[in-house]
Amino acid sequence: VKADNKISYENSKPSYKDAVSIAAQCTAADYTLVISKKNYRSYCYFGTPCFNSIGGPIDKNAGRLILHEFGHGFAHLADEYSEEGKPSRPVEPNCAPDIQTARNWWGDIEGKDGVGYFEGCSYIPENIRPTKNSIMFHHWVLKDGYYPVNERKILEVLNKYS
């Protein structure tokens, strides 16, 4: 749904209520994705609308940022990086609180396409992520995709549509 100026902004962020209200016009939609020319930090929480800022000059990474944020909303993937000041939120399938949990979650595909055990995800260095890099870590590294752990979860969600 093209919303033009129908979404209000609070503290430079789009209104969640407005986005959901406007998206309700599209009755065949399963997910809400807001793409805005306003400049703010893009975000998406598990199972909620995704808010993507493309404020400023558009570069080759804009689409990958949308893929990163949509990974949260569609497949409930965690961020695979550390960031000071944010609380730890390890979550299956891609951010384990420790090595043993990581082995339980993705040990069956260890070694496939770089899958292993790497420190730092869901905002703290102690959590474990499955690959050195992926769209959920540094989305701007164009050679990297979601990789097997995240792809498995994305396919699990997609299979619910078949």
PDB file of all heavy atoms in Angstrom, residues 78-93:
ATOM      1  N   ALA A  78      17.387 -13.430  14.967  1.00  0.00           N
ATOM      2  CA  ALA A  78      18.009 -12.446  15.855  1.00  0.00           C
ATOM      3  C   ALA A  78      19.104 -11.690  15.120  1.00  0.00           C
ATOM      4  O   ALA A  78      19.647 -12.161  14.115  1.00  0.00           O
ATOM      5  CB  ALA A  78      18.603 -13.148  17.080  1.00  0.00           C
ATOM      6  N   ASP A  79      19.456 -10.525  15.657  1.00  0.00           N
ATOM      7  CA  ASP A  79      20.644  -9.826  15.176  1.00  0.00           C
ATOM      8  C   ASP A  79      21.856 -10.658  15.544  1.00  0.00           C
ATOM      9  O   ASP A  79      21.931 -11.210  16.645  1.00  0.00           O
ATOM     10  CB  ASP A  79      20.762  -8.441  15.829  1.00  0.00           C
ATOM     11  CG  ASP A  79      19.802  -7.442  15.236  1.00  0.00           C
ATOM     12  OD1 ASP A  79      19.665  -7.411  13.998  1.00  0.00           O
ATOM     13  OD2 ASP A  79      19.200  -6.665  16.003  1.00  0.00           O
ATOM     14  N   GLU A  80      22.825 -10.735  14.651  1.00  0.00           N
ATOM     15  CA  GLU A  80      24.028 -11.536  14.899  1.00  0.00           C
ATOM     16  C   GLU A  80      25.227 -10.639  15.157  1.00  0.00           C
ATOM     17  O   GLU A  80      26.320 -10.888  14.664  1.00  0.00           O
ATOM     18  CB  GLU A  80      24.279 -12.487  13.726  1.00  0.00           C
ATOM     19  CG  GLU A  80      23.188 -13.544  13.592  1.00  0.00           C
ATOM     20  CD  GLU A  80      23.413 -14.500  12.438  1.00  0.00           C
ATOM     21  OE1 GLU A  80      24.404 -14.365  11.693  1.00  0.00           O
ATOM     22  OE2 GLU A  80      22.568 -15.401  12.267  1.00  0.00           O
ATOM     23  N   TYR A  81      25.016  -9.600  15.932  1.00  0.00           N
ATOM     24  CA  TYR A  81      26.104  -8.696  16.283  1.00  0.00           C
ATOM     25  C   TYR A  81      25.965  -8.262  17.736  1.00  0.00           C
ATOM     26  O   TYR A  81      24.937  -8.484  18.368  1.00  0.00           O
ATOM     27  CB  TYR A  81      26.137  -7.477  15.352  1.00  0.00           C
ATOM     28  CG  TYR A  81      24.861  -6.671  15.301  1.00  0.00           C
ATOM     29  CD1 TYR A  81      24.570  -5.719  16.276  1.00  0.00           C
ATOM     30  CD2 TYR A  81      23.950  -6.848  14.269  1.00  0.00           C
ATOM     31  CE1 TYR A  81      23.395  -4.979  16.224  1.00  0.00           C
ATOM     32  CE2 TYR A  81      22.783  -6.115  14.204  1.00  0.00           C
ATOM     33  CZ  TYR A  81      22.512  -5.174  15.180  1.00  0.00           C
ATOM     34  OH  TYR A  81      21.353  -4.438  15.139  1.00  0.00           O
ATOM     35  N   SER A  82      27.028  -7.660  18.255  1.00  0.00           N
ATOM     36  CA  SER A  82      27.025  -7.114  19.610  1.00  0.00           C
ATOM     37  C   SER A  82      26.839  -5.609  19.520  1.00  0.00           C
ATOM     38  O   SER A  82      27.320  -4.982  18.585  1.00  0.00           O
ATOM     39  CB  SER A  82      28.352  -7.412  20.321  1.00  0.00           C
ATOM     40  OG  SER A  82      28.550  -8.802  20.415  1.00  0.00           O
ATOM     41  N   GLU A  83      26.147  -5.065  20.493  1.00  0.00           N
ATOM     42  CA  GLU A  83      25.951  -3.614  20.536  1.00  0.00           C
ATOM     43  C   GLU A  83      25.784  -3.189  21.989  1.00  0.00           C
ATOM     44  O   GLU A  83      24.828  -3.603  22.660  1.00  0.00           O
ATOM     45  CB  GLU A  83      24.723  -3.209  19.729  1.00  0.00           C
ATOM     46  CG  GLU A  83      24.528  -1.719  19.669  1.00  0.00           C
ATOM     47  CD  GLU A  83      23.386  -1.307  18.755  1.00  0.00           C
ATOM     48  OE1 GLU A  83      23.031  -2.070  17.833  1.00  0.00           O
ATOM     49  OE2 GLU A  83      22.848  -0.221  18.967  1.00  0.00           O
ATOM     50  N   GLU A  84      26.709  -2.392  22.442  1.00  0.00           N
ATOM     51  CA  GLU A  84      26.701  -1.952  23.831  1.00  0.00           C
ATOM     52  C   GLU A  84      25.411  -1.212  24.165  1.00  0.00           C
ATOM     53  O   GLU A  84      24.878  -0.452  23.364  1.00  0.00           O
ATOM     54  CB  GLU A  84      27.898  -1.031  24.077  1.00  0.00           C
ATOM     55  CG  GLU A  84      28.161  -0.790  25.545  1.00  0.00           C
ATOM     56  CD  GLU A  84      29.469  -0.054  25.768  1.00  0.00           C
ATOM     57  OE1 GLU A  84      30.481  -0.471  25.166  1.00  0.00           O
ATOM     58  OE2 GLU A  84      29.464   0.909  26.538  1.00  0.00           O
ATOM     59  N   GLY A  85      24.904  -1.481  25.371  1.00  0.00           N
ATOM     60  CA  GLY A  85      23.724  -0.779  25.850  1.00  0.00           C
ATOM     61  C   GLY A  85      22.408  -1.452  25.534  1.00  0.00           C
ATOM     62  O   GLY A  85      21.356  -0.980  25.932  1.00  0.00           O
ATOM     63  N   LYS A  86      22.454  -2.567  24.818  1.00  0.00           N
ATOM     64  CA  LYS A  86      21.216  -3.291  24.514  1.00  0.00           C
ATOM     65  C   LYS A  86      21.193  -4.573  25.334  1.00  0.00           C
ATOM     66  O   LYS A  86      22.226  -5.189  25.568  1.00  0.00           O
ATOM     67  CB  LYS A  86      21.128  -3.616  23.022  1.00  0.00           C
ATOM     68  CG  LYS A  86      20.843  -2.408  22.174  1.00  0.00           C
ATOM     69  CD  LYS A  86      20.345  -2.845  20.820  1.00  0.00           C
ATOM     70  CE  LYS A  86      19.785  -1.651  20.084  1.00  0.00           C
ATOM     71  NZ  LYS A  86      18.948  -2.074  18.980  1.00  0.00           N
ATOM     72  N   PRO A  87      19.988  -5.022  25.739  1.00  0.00           N
ATOM     73  CA  PRO A  87      19.898  -6.249  26.537  1.00  0.00           C
ATOM     74  C   PRO A  87      20.105  -7.494  25.684  1.00  0.00           C
ATOM     75  O   PRO A  87      19.783  -7.505  24.501  1.00  0.00           O
ATOM     76  CB  PRO A  87      18.476  -6.203  27.083  1.00  0.00           C
ATOM     77  CG  PRO A  87      17.712  -5.417  26.066  1.00  0.00           C
ATOM     78  CD  PRO A  87      18.690  -4.394  25.530  1.00  0.00           C
ATOM     79  N   SER A  88      20.637  -8.535  26.291  1.00  0.00           N
ATOM     80  CA  SER A  88      20.830  -9.805  25.610  1.00  0.00           C
ATOM     81  C   SER A  88      19.486 -10.475  25.364  1.00  0.00           C
ATOM     82  O   SER A  88      18.659 -10.573  26.259  1.00  0.00           O
ATOM     83  CB  SER A  88      21.700 -10.724  26.471  1.00  0.00           C
ATOM     84  OG  SER A  88      21.756 -12.015  25.919  1.00  0.00           O
ATOM     85  N   ARG A  89      19.286 -10.931  24.121  1.00  0.00           N
ATOM     86  CA  ARG A  89      18.052 -11.639  23.773  1.00  0.00           C
ATOM     87  C   ARG A  89      18.382 -12.849  22.895  1.00  0.00           C
ATOM     88  O   ARG A  89      18.006 -12.879  21.721  1.00  0.00           O
ATOM     89  CB  ARG A  89      17.101 -10.708  23.020  1.00  0.00           C
ATOM     90  CG  ARG A  89      16.593  -9.562  23.838  1.00  0.00           C
ATOM     91  CD  ARG A  89      15.573  -8.760  23.047  1.00  0.00           C
ATOM     92  NE  ARG A  89      15.275  -7.546  23.760  1.00  0.00           N
ATOM     93  CZ  ARG A  89      15.234  -6.342  23.221  1.00  0.00           C
ATOM     94  NH1 ARG A  89      15.479  -6.190  21.946  1.00  0.00           N
ATOM     95  NH2 ARG A  89      14.949  -5.292  23.930  1.00  0.00           N
ATOM     96  N   PRO A  90      19.099 -13.834  23.424  1.00  0.00           N
ATOM     97  CA  PRO A  90      19.385 -15.002  22.587  1.00  0.00           C
ATOM     98  C   PRO A  90      18.081 -15.694  22.213  1.00  0.00           C
ATOM     99  O   PRO A  90      17.154 -15.759  23.016  1.00  0.00           O
ATOM    100  CB  PRO A  90      20.259 -15.882  23.473  1.00  0.00           C
ATOM    101  CG  PRO A  90      19.968 -15.456  24.864  1.00  0.00           C
ATOM    102  CD  PRO A  90      19.573 -14.006  24.800  1.00  0.00           C
ATOM    103  N   VAL A  91      18.006 -16.149  20.965  1.00  0.00           N
ATOM    104  CA  VAL A  91      16.772 -16.768  20.494  1.00  0.00           C
ATOM    105  C   VAL A  91      17.080 -17.783  19.393  1.00  0.00           C
ATOM    106  O   VAL A  91      17.944 -17.552  18.550  1.00  0.00           O
ATOM    107  CB  VAL A  91      15.768 -15.685  20.009  1.00  0.00           C
ATOM    108  CG1 VAL A  91      16.318 -14.913  18.836  1.00  0.00           C
ATOM    109  CG2 VAL A  91      14.428 -16.276  19.673  1.00  0.00           C
ATOM    110  N   GLU A  92      16.386 -18.904  19.454  1.00  0.00           N
ATOM    111  CA  GLU A  92      16.506 -19.909  18.414  1.00  0.00           C
ATOM    112  C   GLU A  92      15.903 -19.358  17.121  1.00  0.00           C
ATOM    113  O   GLU A  92      14.907 -18.635  17.182  1.00  0.00           O
ATOM    114  CB  GLU A  92      15.740 -21.171  18.842  1.00  0.00           C
ATOM    115  CG  GLU A  92      16.000 -22.355  17.981  1.00  0.00           C
ATOM    116  CD  GLU A  92      15.357 -23.634  18.541  1.00  0.00           C
ATOM    117  OE1 GLU A  92      14.660 -23.588  19.558  1.00  0.00           O
ATOM    118  OE2 GLU A  92      15.570 -24.672  17.921  1.00  0.00           O
ATOM    119  N   PRO A  93      16.494 -19.535  15.987  1.00  0.00           N
ATOM    120  CA  PRO A  93      17.475 -20.563  15.683  1.00  0.00           C
ATOM    121  C   PRO A  93      18.912 -20.070  15.615  1.00  0.00           C
ATOM    122  O   PRO A  93      19.830 -20.874  15.564  1.00  0.00           O
ATOM    123  CB  PRO A  93      17.047 -20.999  14.289  1.00  0.00           C
ATOM    124  CG  PRO A  93      16.631 -19.732  13.632  1.00  0.00           C
ATOM    125  CD  PRO A  93      15.955 -18.955  14.743  1.00  0.00           C
TER     126      PRO A  93
END
